[in-house]
Amino acid sequence: MIVDDAPFVALDLEDAAVAAGFRVIGPCGSVSATLGEVNRWTPACAILDVQLADGPVFPVADFLQDAGVPLIFHSGTSAGDELLDRYPGARFCAKPSQPADLMNFVRQAVDL
């Protein structure tokens, strides 16, 4: 699952995920759209931007964490340490990042 409200970033992530052999849910650009999707599908992993157009991604992250979905936060504005304290086991990849680096995090997350 890809959650990012920046269309070009979201599409680049989707292209990288598909090229790496993953099927993608999304991209979703808002908390409300993402909650609608996770009520229909349970992703194997989620790449989450922290600040979305309609607020912080935390309701989505809480839902996914409770469902046992590995989380990868992909943000240029949030403190990784605070996110990792709130979501133990999650990973943090600062923006901008190389798509290959992010896909390595996804591979590691789904292999757990």
Side-chain angles (χ1 to χ4, degrees):
M1 170 170 263
I2 296 172
V3 180
D4 199 306
D5 63 348
F8 291 115
V9 172
L11 292 174
D12 283 347
L13 293 176
E14 181 180 25
D15 288 346
V18 169
F22 298 108
R23 290 188 319 198
V24 175
I25 300 170
C28 301
S30 67
V31 172
S32 60
T34 307
L35 289 173
E37 287 296 314
V38 297
N39 282 315
R40 295 178 5 167
W41 309 96
T42 301
C45 179
I47 301 171
L48 307 173
D49 187 8
V50 176
Q51 294 297 334
L52 302 174
D54 59 347
V57 77
F58 301 133
V60 172
D62 293 341
F63 182 91
L64 293 172
Q65 180 176 268
D66 290 346
V69 175
L71 305 176
I72 301 169
F73 290 99
H74 185 237
S75 178
T77 60
S78 296
D81 292 340
E82 292 173 18
L83 289 169
L84 299 179
D85 286 344
R86 182 171 178 169
Y87 299 98
R91 297 173 191 261
F92 180 80
C93 189
K95 285 183 185 177
S97 64
Q98 294 296 318
D101 294 338
L102 195 52
M103 290 307 111
N104 283 334
F105 278 149
V106 173
R107 281 188 199 90
Q108 293 168 9
V110 298
D111 284 344
L112 295 179

